[in-house]
mmCIF file of all heavy atoms in Angstrom:
data_model
loop_
_atom_site.group_PDB
_atom_site.id
_atom_site.type_symbol
_atom_site.label_atom_id
_atom_site.label_comp_id
_atom_site.label_asym_id
_atom_site.label_seq_id
_atom_site.Cartn_x
_atom_site.Cartn_y
_atom_site.Cartn_z
ATOM 1 N N SER S 1 0.880 -1.263 -0.033
ATOM 2 C CA SER S 1 -0.087 -0.054 -0.031
ATOM 3 C C SER S 1 0.825 1.288 0.024
ATOM 4 O O SER S 1 2.056 1.207 0.295
ATOM 5 C CB SER S 1 -0.856 -0.008 1.307
ATOM 6 O OG SER S 1 -0.040 0.136 2.374
ATOM 7 N N ASP S 2 0.168 2.441 -0.285
ATOM 8 C CA ASP S 2 0.923 3.678 -0.243
ATOM 9 C C ASP S 2 1.404 3.944 1.139
ATOM 10 O O ASP S 2 2.411 4.598 1.346
ATOM 11 C CB ASP S 2 0.061 4.772 -0.756
ATOM 12 C CG ASP S 2 -0.235 4.734 -2.300
ATOM 13 O OD1 ASP S 2 0.414 4.094 -2.944
ATOM 14 O OD2 ASP S 2 -1.304 5.331 -2.694
ATOM 15 N N THR S 3 0.476 3.458 2.186
ATOM 16 C CA THR S 3 1.064 3.784 3.609
ATOM 17 C C THR S 3 2.347 3.078 3.804
ATOM 18 O O THR S 3 3.305 3.838 4.450
ATOM 19 C CB THR S 3 -0.034 3.155 4.570
ATOM 20 O OG1 THR S 3 -1.183 3.687 4.257
ATOM 21 C CG2 THR S 3 0.374 3.301 5.961
ATOM 22 N N VAL S 4 2.667 1.868 3.383
ATOM 23 C CA VAL S 4 3.981 1.246 3.563
ATOM 24 C C VAL S 4 5.051 1.977 2.640
ATOM 25 O O VAL S 4 6.216 2.178 3.229
ATOM 26 C CB VAL S 4 3.925 -0.221 3.296
ATOM 27 C CG1 VAL S 4 5.292 -0.902 3.396
ATOM 28 C CG2 VAL S 4 2.990 -0.999 4.175
ATOM 29 N N MET S 5 4.663 2.314 1.526
ATOM 30 C CA MET S 5 5.689 2.889 0.591
ATOM 31 C C MET S 5 6.097 4.235 1.176
ATOM 32 O O MET S 5 7.290 4.696 0.980
ATOM 33 C CB MET S 5 5.105 3.008 -0.798
ATOM 34 C CG MET S 5 4.756 1.731 -1.446
ATOM 35 S SD MET S 5 6.271 0.568 -1.765
ATOM 36 C CE MET S 5 6.974 1.421 -3.139
ATOM 37 N N ASN S 6 5.162 5.000 1.595
ATOM 38 C CA ASN S 6 5.602 6.291 2.117
ATOM 39 C C ASN S 6 6.235 6.229 3.369
ATOM 40 O O ASN S 6 7.118 7.115 3.734
ATOM 41 C CB ASN S 6 4.265 7.129 2.397
ATOM 42 C CG ASN S 6 3.585 7.538 1.026
ATOM 43 O OD1 ASN S 6 4.219 7.607 -0.049
ATOM 44 N ND2 ASN S 6 2.275 7.690 1.062
ATOM 45 N N ALA S 7 6.042 5.174 4.189
ATOM 46 C CA ALA S 7 6.731 5.030 5.632
ATOM 47 C C ALA S 7 8.047 4.350 5.407
ATOM 48 O O ALA S 7 8.768 4.464 6.393
ATOM 49 C CB ALA S 7 5.783 4.272 6.477
ATOM 50 N N ALA S 8 8.264 3.740 4.278
ATOM 51 C CA ALA S 8 9.553 2.956 4.225
ATOM 52 C C ALA S 8 10.855 3.711 4.356
ATOM 53 O O ALA S 8 10.943 4.771 3.790
ATOM 54 C CB ALA S 8 9.534 2.283 2.840
ATOM 55 N N ASP S 9 11.848 3.050 5.043
ATOM 56 C CA ASP S 9 13.138 3.718 5.171
ATOM 57 C C ASP S 9 13.995 3.204 4.001
ATOM 58 O O ASP S 9 15.042 3.866 3.791
ATOM 59 C CB ASP S 9 13.721 3.187 6.477
ATOM 60 C CG ASP S 9 13.016 3.562 7.673
ATOM 61 O OD1 ASP S 9 12.706 4.721 7.950
ATOM 62 O OD2 ASP S 9 12.532 2.727 8.446
ATOM 63 N N GLY S 10 13.541 2.168 3.234
ATOM 64 C CA GLY S 10 14.346 1.749 2.071
ATOM 65 C C GLY S 10 13.463 0.697 1.286
ATOM 66 O O GLY S 10 12.359 0.257 1.687
ATOM 67 N N PHE S 11 13.951 0.634 0.095
ATOM 68 C CA PHE S 11 13.200 -0.274 -0.862
ATOM 69 C C PHE S 11 14.245 -1.473 -1.368
ATOM 70 O O PHE S 11 15.413 -1.011 -1.557
ATOM 71 C CB PHE S 11 12.766 0.525 -2.038
ATOM 72 C CG PHE S 11 11.883 1.633 -1.679
ATOM 73 C CD1 PHE S 11 12.358 2.814 -1.358
ATOM 74 C CD2 PHE S 11 10.450 1.459 -1.527
ATOM 75 C CE1 PHE S 11 11.508 3.977 -0.972
ATOM 76 C CE2 PHE S 11 9.791 2.489 -1.091
ATOM 77 C CZ PHE S 11 10.207 3.736 -0.871
ATOM 78 N N LEU S 12 13.703 -2.524 -1.517
ATOM 79 C CA LEU S 12 14.534 -3.757 -1.796
ATOM 80 C C LEU S 12 14.036 -4.455 -3.048
ATOM 81 O O LEU S 12 12.767 -4.757 -3.043
ATOM 82 C CB LEU S 12 14.765 -4.630 -0.623
ATOM 83 C CG LEU S 12 15.597 -5.797 -0.772
ATOM 84 C CD1 LEU S 12 17.036 -5.427 -0.961
ATOM 85 C CD2 LEU S 12 15.576 -6.645 0.549
ATOM 86 N N LYS S 13 14.862 -4.922 -3.926
ATOM 87 C CA LYS S 13 14.283 -5.740 -4.992
ATOM 88 C C LYS S 13 15.206 -6.753 -5.480
ATOM 89 O O LYS S 13 16.471 -6.660 -5.111
ATOM 90 C CB LYS S 13 14.052 -4.819 -6.335
ATOM 91 C CG LYS S 13 15.216 -4.199 -6.982
ATOM 92 C CD LYS S 13 14.968 -3.331 -8.104
ATOM 93 C CE LYS S 13 16.125 -2.851 -8.861
ATOM 94 N NZ LYS S 13 15.716 -1.931 -10.057
ATOM 95 N N ILE S 14 14.652 -7.818 -5.997
ATOM 96 C CA ILE S 14 15.346 -9.028 -6.463
ATOM 97 C C ILE S 14 15.738 -8.807 -7.910
ATOM 98 O O ILE S 14 14.783 -8.625 -8.655
ATOM 99 C CB ILE S 14 14.502 -10.251 -6.232
ATOM 100 C CG1 ILE S 14 14.213 -10.595 -4.817
ATOM 101 C CG2 ILE S 14 15.343 -11.520 -6.853
ATOM 102 C CD1 ILE S 14 13.141 -11.543 -4.564
ATOM 103 N N PRO S 15 16.990 -8.956 -8.284
ATOM 104 C CA PRO S 15 17.254 -8.754 -9.795
ATOM 105 C C PRO S 15 16.637 -9.865 -10.607
ATOM 106 O O PRO S 15 16.620 -10.970 -10.230
ATOM 107 C CB PRO S 15 18.800 -8.954 -9.813
ATOM 108 C CG PRO S 15 19.305 -8.499 -8.421
ATOM 109 C CD PRO S 15 18.174 -9.071 -7.520
ATOM 110 N N MET S 16 15.853 -9.254 -11.660
ATOM 111 C CA MET S 16 15.245 -10.272 -12.540
ATOM 112 C C MET S 16 15.588 -10.046 -14.023
ATOM 113 O O MET S 16 15.710 -8.835 -14.333
ATOM 114 C CB MET S 16 13.746 -10.108 -12.306
ATOM 115 C CG MET S 16 13.243 -10.864 -10.996
ATOM 116 S SD MET S 16 11.389 -10.659 -10.676
ATOM 117 C CE MET S 16 11.393 -9.098 -9.900
ATOM 118 N N TYR S 17 15.710 -11.073 -14.782
ATOM 119 C CA TYR S 17 16.284 -10.812 -16.052
ATOM 120 C C TYR S 17 15.401 -11.346 -17.262
ATOM 121 O O TYR S 17 15.819 -11.366 -18.423
ATOM 122 C CB TYR S 17 17.636 -11.473 -16.228
ATOM 123 C CG TYR S 17 18.562 -11.147 -15.050
ATOM 124 C CD1 TYR S 17 18.744 -11.996 -13.950
ATOM 125 C CD2 TYR S 17 19.235 -9.928 -15.069
ATOM 126 C CE1 TYR S 17 19.583 -11.517 -12.894
ATOM 127 C CE2 TYR S 17 19.969 -9.337 -13.871
ATOM 128 C CZ TYR S 17 20.309 -10.369 -12.865
ATOM 129 O OH TYR S 17 21.086 -10.055 -11.829
ATOM 130 N N GLY S 18 14.112 -11.692 -16.900
ATOM 131 C CA GLY S 18 13.270 -12.408 -17.909
ATOM 132 C C GLY S 18 12.132 -11.255 -18.225
ATOM 133 O O GLY S 18 12.230 -10.141 -17.851
ATOM 134 N N PHE S 19 11.110 -11.878 -18.853
ATOM 135 C CA PHE S 19 9.963 -11.012 -19.170
ATOM 136 C C PHE S 19 9.078 -10.907 -17.955
ATOM 137 O O PHE S 19 8.404 -9.798 -17.918
ATOM 138 C CB PHE S 19 9.112 -11.663 -20.303
ATOM 139 C CG PHE S 19 9.953 -11.776 -21.617
ATOM 140 C CD1 PHE S 19 10.374 -12.973 -22.067
ATOM 141 C CD2 PHE S 19 10.005 -10.568 -22.294
ATOM 142 C CE1 PHE S 19 11.133 -13.097 -23.257
ATOM 143 C CE2 PHE S 19 10.694 -10.752 -23.620
ATOM 144 C CZ PHE S 19 11.199 -11.943 -24.073
ATOM 145 N N THR S 20 9.015 -11.802 -17.101
ATOM 146 C CA THR S 20 8.219 -11.657 -15.877
ATOM 147 C C THR S 20 8.732 -10.683 -14.934
ATOM 148 O O THR S 20 9.955 -10.612 -14.695
ATOM 149 C CB THR S 20 8.158 -13.022 -15.156
ATOM 150 O OG1 THR S 20 7.697 -13.988 -16.143
ATOM 151 C CG2 THR S 20 7.175 -13.011 -13.940
ATOM 152 N N GLU S 21 7.942 -9.777 -14.450
ATOM 153 C CA GLU S 21 8.363 -8.704 -13.592
ATOM 154 C C GLU S 21 8.135 -8.940 -12.112
ATOM 155 O O GLU S 21 8.529 -7.884 -11.278
ATOM 156 C CB GLU S 21 7.655 -7.319 -14.125
ATOM 157 C CG GLU S 21 7.995 -7.010 -15.503
ATOM 158 C CD GLU S 21 7.435 -5.622 -15.913
ATOM 159 O OE1 GLU S 21 6.610 -5.173 -15.218
ATOM 160 O OE2 GLU S 21 7.808 -5.136 -16.921
ATOM 161 N N SER S 22 7.470 -9.875 -11.836
ATOM 162 C CA SER S 22 7.368 -10.214 -10.292
ATOM 163 C C SER S 22 7.345 -11.686 -9.980
ATOM 164 O O SER S 22 7.316 -12.482 -10.869
ATOM 165 C CB SER S 22 5.924 -9.607 -9.845
ATOM 166 O OG SER S 22 4.865 -10.323 -10.671
ATOM 167 N N LEU S 23 7.495 -11.918 -8.758
ATOM 168 C CA LEU S 23 7.527 -13.316 -8.285
ATOM 169 C C LEU S 23 6.406 -13.599 -7.190
ATOM 170 O O LEU S 23 6.053 -12.544 -6.551
ATOM 171 C CB LEU S 23 8.867 -13.555 -7.548
ATOM 172 C CG LEU S 23 10.041 -13.677 -8.428
ATOM 173 C CD1 LEU S 23 11.384 -13.462 -7.576
ATOM 174 C CD2 LEU S 23 10.129 -14.936 -9.284
ATOM 175 N N ASN S 24 5.989 -14.724 -7.024
ATOM 176 C CA ASN S 24 5.110 -15.001 -5.943
ATOM 177 C C ASN S 24 5.612 -14.686 -4.664
ATOM 178 O O ASN S 24 6.909 -14.809 -4.344
ATOM 179 C CB ASN S 24 4.822 -16.548 -6.008
ATOM 180 C CG ASN S 24 4.002 -16.977 -4.859
ATOM 181 O OD1 ASN S 24 4.423 -17.203 -3.727
ATOM 182 N ND2 ASN S 24 2.696 -17.231 -5.056
ATOM 183 N N ILE S 25 4.871 -14.034 -3.799
ATOM 184 C CA ILE S 25 5.364 -13.628 -2.550
ATOM 185 C C ILE S 25 6.148 -14.639 -1.658
ATOM 186 O O ILE S 25 7.159 -14.232 -1.001
ATOM 187 C CB ILE S 25 4.179 -13.068 -1.664
ATOM 188 C CG1 ILE S 25 4.655 -12.580 -0.318
ATOM 189 C CG2 ILE S 25 3.095 -14.140 -1.530
ATOM 190 C CD1 ILE S 25 3.514 -12.076 0.669
ATOM 191 N N SER S 26 5.731 -15.869 -1.648
ATOM 192 C CA SER S 26 6.557 -16.884 -0.825
ATOM 193 C C SER S 26 7.891 -17.129 -1.540
ATOM 194 O O SER S 26 8.810 -17.384 -0.747
ATOM 195 C CB SER S 26 5.683 -18.224 -0.673
ATOM 196 O OG SER S 26 5.357 -18.713 -1.887
ATOM 197 N N VAL S 27 7.938 -17.085 -2.753
ATOM 198 C CA VAL S 27 9.147 -17.173 -3.465
ATOM 199 C C VAL S 27 10.131 -16.128 -3.222
ATOM 200 O O VAL S 27 11.274 -16.108 -2.937
ATOM 201 C CB VAL S 27 8.985 -17.391 -4.992
ATOM 202 C CG1 VAL S 27 10.369 -17.484 -5.684
ATOM 203 C CG2 VAL S 27 8.168 -18.715 -5.300
ATOM 204 N N SER S 28 9.542 -14.793 -3.244
ATOM 205 C CA SER S 28 10.369 -13.588 -2.966
ATOM 206 C C SER S 28 10.846 -13.632 -1.622
ATOM 207 O O SER S 28 12.101 -13.361 -1.307
ATOM 208 C CB SER S 28 9.432 -12.332 -3.093
ATOM 209 O OG SER S 28 9.047 -12.288 -4.487
ATOM 210 N N ALA S 29 10.074 -14.095 -0.633
ATOM 211 C CA ALA S 29 10.454 -14.066 0.761
ATOM 212 C C ALA S 29 11.624 -15.106 0.946
ATOM 213 O O ALA S 29 12.683 -14.859 1.631
ATOM 214 C CB ALA S 29 9.308 -14.523 1.576
ATOM 215 N N ALA S 30 11.501 -16.262 0.303
ATOM 216 C CA ALA S 30 12.570 -17.292 0.455
ATOM 217 C C ALA S 30 13.898 -16.701 -0.133
ATOM 218 O O ALA S 30 14.966 -16.899 0.415
ATOM 219 C CB ALA S 30 12.191 -18.460 -0.331
ATOM 220 N N ILE S 31 13.798 -16.095 -1.356
ATOM 221 C CA ILE S 31 15.099 -15.597 -2.024
ATOM 222 C C ILE S 31 15.619 -14.539 -1.113
ATOM 223 O O ILE S 31 16.878 -14.550 -0.900
ATOM 224 C CB ILE S 31 14.808 -15.043 -3.430
ATOM 225 C CG1 ILE S 31 14.374 -16.261 -4.206
ATOM 226 C CG2 ILE S 31 15.977 -14.400 -3.849
ATOM 227 C CD1 ILE S 31 13.875 -15.663 -5.624
ATOM 228 N N ILE S 32 14.849 -13.541 -0.550
ATOM 229 C CA ILE S 32 15.315 -12.457 0.239
ATOM 230 C C ILE S 32 15.923 -12.986 1.564
ATOM 231 O O ILE S 32 17.127 -12.599 1.908
ATOM 232 C CB ILE S 32 14.332 -11.423 0.419
ATOM 233 C CG1 ILE S 32 14.125 -10.632 -0.888
ATOM 234 C CG2 ILE S 32 14.727 -10.402 1.611
ATOM 235 C CD1 ILE S 32 12.943 -9.743 -0.874
ATOM 236 N N LEU S 33 15.309 -13.827 2.254
ATOM 237 C CA LEU S 33 15.678 -14.237 3.496
ATOM 238 C C LEU S 33 16.908 -15.151 3.346
ATOM 239 O O LEU S 33 17.846 -15.012 4.282
ATOM 240 C CB LEU S 33 14.597 -14.974 4.232
ATOM 241 C CG LEU S 33 13.401 -14.181 4.680
ATOM 242 C CD1 LEU S 33 12.427 -15.095 5.400
ATOM 243 C CD2 LEU S 33 13.830 -12.968 5.504
ATOM 244 N N GLN S 34 17.079 -15.909 2.382
ATOM 245 C CA GLN S 34 18.263 -16.746 2.352
ATOM 246 C C GLN S 34 19.454 -15.869 2.158
ATOM 247 O O GLN S 34 20.442 -16.201 2.695
ATOM 248 C CB GLN S 34 17.981 -17.753 1.036
ATOM 249 C CG GLN S 34 19.112 -18.809 0.976
ATOM 250 C CD GLN S 34 20.491 -18.351 0.414
ATOM 251 O OE1 GLN S 34 20.465 -17.464 -0.447
ATOM 252 N NE2 GLN S 34 21.559 -18.951 0.808
ATOM 253 N N SER S 35 19.321 -14.878 1.283
ATOM 254 C CA SER S 35 20.370 -13.845 0.998
ATOM 255 C C SER S 35 20.839 -13.142 2.235
ATOM 256 O O SER S 35 21.997 -13.191 2.640
ATOM 257 C CB SER S 35 20.117 -12.964 -0.161
ATOM 258 O OG SER S 35 21.026 -12.061 -0.380
ATOM 259 N N VAL S 36 19.859 -12.454 2.875
ATOM 260 C CA VAL S 36 20.156 -11.597 3.947
ATOM 261 C C VAL S 36 20.553 -12.304 5.169
ATOM 262 O O VAL S 36 21.596 -11.885 5.890
ATOM 263 C CB VAL S 36 19.114 -10.576 4.329
ATOM 264 C CG1 VAL S 36 18.781 -9.608 3.169
ATOM 265 C CG2 VAL S 36 17.858 -11.346 4.821
ATOM 266 N N VAL S 37 20.065 -13.485 5.456
ATOM 267 C CA VAL S 37 20.488 -14.281 6.731
ATOM 268 C C VAL S 37 21.908 -14.866 6.427
ATOM 269 O O VAL S 37 22.689 -14.871 7.379
ATOM 270 C CB VAL S 37 19.535 -15.423 6.979
ATOM 271 C CG1 VAL S 37 20.119 -16.497 7.871
ATOM 272 C CG2 VAL S 37 18.134 -14.883 7.500
ATOM 273 N N SER S 38 22.191 -15.345 5.210
ATOM 274 C CA SER S 38 23.624 -15.799 4.924
ATOM 275 C C SER S 38 24.574 -14.688 5.222
ATOM 276 O O SER S 38 25.694 -14.886 5.756
ATOM 277 C CB SER S 38 23.625 -16.293 3.473
ATOM 278 O OG SER S 38 22.741 -17.391 3.417
ATOM 279 N N LYS S 39 24.345 -13.432 4.628
ATOM 280 C CA LYS S 39 25.247 -12.383 4.721
ATOM 281 C C LYS S 39 25.232 -11.823 6.279
ATOM 282 O O LYS S 39 26.416 -11.657 6.724
ATOM 283 C CB LYS S 39 24.737 -11.116 3.814
ATOM 284 C CG LYS S 39 25.017 -11.308 2.418
ATOM 285 C CD LYS S 39 24.473 -10.183 1.675
ATOM 286 C CE LYS S 39 25.123 -8.841 1.916
ATOM 287 N NZ LYS S 39 24.630 -7.768 1.217
ATOM 288 N N MET S 40 24.205 -11.917 6.944
ATOM 289 C CA MET S 40 24.235 -11.612 8.373
ATOM 290 C C MET S 40 25.108 -12.312 9.191
ATOM 291 O O MET S 40 25.990 -11.931 9.936
ATOM 292 C CB MET S 40 22.729 -11.611 8.801
ATOM 293 C CG MET S 40 22.636 -11.477 10.339
ATOM 294 S SD MET S 40 20.986 -12.006 11.022
ATOM 295 C CE MET S 40 21.173 -13.662 10.881
ATOM 296 N N LYS S 41 25.115 -13.701 8.922
ATOM 297 C CA LYS S 41 25.963 -14.641 9.711
ATOM 298 C C LYS S 41 27.376 -14.487 9.343
ATOM 299 O O LYS S 41 28.258 -15.088 10.104
ATOM 300 C CB LYS S 41 25.422 -16.073 9.499
ATOM 301 C CG LYS S 41 23.978 -16.162 10.077
ATOM 302 C CD LYS S 41 23.628 -17.638 10.212
ATOM 303 C CE LYS S 41 22.362 -17.834 10.940
ATOM 304 N NZ LYS S 41 21.867 -19.110 11.104
ATOM 305 N N GLN S 42 27.780 -13.878 8.148
ATOM 306 C CA GLN S 42 29.110 -13.820 7.829
ATOM 307 C C GLN S 42 29.628 -12.479 8.208
ATOM 308 O O GLN S 42 30.884 -12.252 8.180
ATOM 309 C CB GLN S 42 29.271 -13.798 6.158
ATOM 310 C CG GLN S 42 28.871 -15.157 5.647
ATOM 311 C CD GLN S 42 28.816 -15.160 4.135
ATOM 312 O OE1 GLN S 42 28.855 -14.060 3.448
ATOM 313 N NE2 GLN S 42 28.397 -16.252 3.641
ATOM 314 N N HIS S 43 28.756 -11.590 8.785
ATOM 315 C CA HIS S 43 29.328 -10.115 9.267
ATOM 316 C C HIS S 43 29.283 -10.164 10.735
ATOM 317 O O HIS S 43 28.694 -11.003 11.390
ATOM 318 C CB HIS S 43 28.404 -9.242 8.720
ATOM 319 C CG HIS S 43 28.664 -8.874 7.266
ATOM 320 N ND1 HIS S 43 28.324 -9.694 6.347
ATOM 321 C CD2 HIS S 43 29.106 -7.789 6.595
ATOM 322 C CE1 HIS S 43 28.538 -9.283 5.067
ATOM 323 N NE2 HIS S 43 29.088 -8.058 5.198
ATOM 324 N N LYS S 44 29.923 -9.165 11.363
ATOM 325 C CA LYS S 44 30.011 -8.951 12.815
ATOM 326 C C LYS S 44 28.711 -8.322 13.250
ATOM 327 O O LYS S 44 28.785 -7.114 13.540
ATOM 328 C CB LYS S 44 31.206 -8.181 13.173
ATOM 329 C CG LYS S 44 32.446 -9.052 12.964
ATOM 330 C CD LYS S 44 33.706 -8.231 13.439
ATOM 331 C CE LYS S 44 35.077 -9.058 13.234
ATOM 332 N NZ LYS S 44 36.295 -8.325 13.688
ATOM 333 N N VAL S 45 27.638 -9.011 13.208
ATOM 334 C CA VAL S 45 26.330 -8.523 13.656
ATOM 335 C C VAL S 45 25.886 -9.232 14.924
ATOM 336 O O VAL S 45 25.876 -10.549 14.853
ATOM 337 C CB VAL S 45 25.363 -8.653 12.463
ATOM 338 C CG1 VAL S 45 23.952 -8.094 12.866
ATOM 339 C CG2 VAL S 45 25.731 -7.896 11.254
ATOM 340 N N ASN S 46 25.329 -8.504 15.798
ATOM 341 C CA ASN S 46 24.769 -9.200 16.965
ATOM 342 C C ASN S 46 23.363 -9.534 16.714
ATOM 343 O O ASN S 46 22.390 -9.009 17.095
ATOM 344 C CB ASN S 46 24.707 -8.133 18.176
ATOM 345 C CG ASN S 46 24.310 -8.776 19.436
ATOM 346 O OD1 ASN S 46 24.298 -10.006 19.610
ATOM 347 N ND2 ASN S 46 23.861 -8.034 20.367
ATOM 348 N N TRP S 47 23.271 -10.771 15.951
ATOM 349 C CA TRP S 47 21.938 -11.269 15.436
ATOM 350 C C TRP S 47 21.182 -12.221 16.444
ATOM 351 O O TRP S 47 20.050 -12.496 16.234
ATOM 352 C CB TRP S 47 22.094 -11.834 14.219
ATOM 353 C CG TRP S 47 23.058 -12.986 14.057
ATOM 354 C CD1 TRP S 47 24.361 -12.836 13.752
ATOM 355 C CD2 TRP S 47 22.845 -14.401 14.223
ATOM 356 N NE1 TRP S 47 25.053 -14.221 13.742
ATOM 357 C CE2 TRP S 47 24.028 -15.046 14.092
ATOM 358 C CE3 TRP S 47 21.646 -15.017 14.522
ATOM 359 C CZ2 TRP S 47 24.095 -16.461 14.230
ATOM 360 C CZ3 TRP S 47 21.787 -16.437 14.737
ATOM 361 C CH2 TRP S 47 22.893 -17.128 14.542
ATOM 362 N N GLN S 48 21.883 -12.897 17.358
ATOM 363 C CA GLN S 48 21.430 -13.995 18.048
ATOM 364 C C GLN S 48 20.369 -13.460 19.088
ATOM 365 O O GLN S 48 20.455 -12.342 19.580
ATOM 366 C CB GLN S 48 22.435 -14.844 18.738
ATOM 367 C CG GLN S 48 23.233 -15.615 17.670
ATOM 368 C CD GLN S 48 24.294 -16.489 18.272
ATOM 369 O OE1 GLN S 48 25.132 -16.008 19.015
ATOM 370 N NE2 GLN S 48 24.189 -17.872 18.060
#
């Protein structure tokens, strides 16, 4: 919604290279979480 978009501190997208411009929400969540969690555990972040 516009409420979220206007309140957002940042915007994030998954690079896509085909004709399709969007992914199913559960697929998007899986791709994003796999990426950010893997990076988080490789950095000095107090995540536990």
Side-chain angles (χ1 to χ4, degrees):
S1 66
D2 288 341
T3 302
V4 176
M5 297 297 283
N6 292 333
D9 301 300
F11 304 92
L12 182 65
K13 66 179 177 182
I14 300 168
M16 288 179 274
Y17 310 104
F19 293 106
T20 304
E21 296 182 349
S22 64
L23 290 166
N24 175 278
I25 176 178
S26 60
V27 175
S28 294
I31 292 172
I32 288 173
L33 292 182
Q34 193 280 331
S35 176
V36 298
V37 169
S38 295
K39 285 177 65 178
M40 173 192 75
K41 293 188 176 184
Q42 293 170 2
H43 287 68
K44 292 182 179 180
V45 177
N46 183 21
W47 58 267
Q48 290 183 303

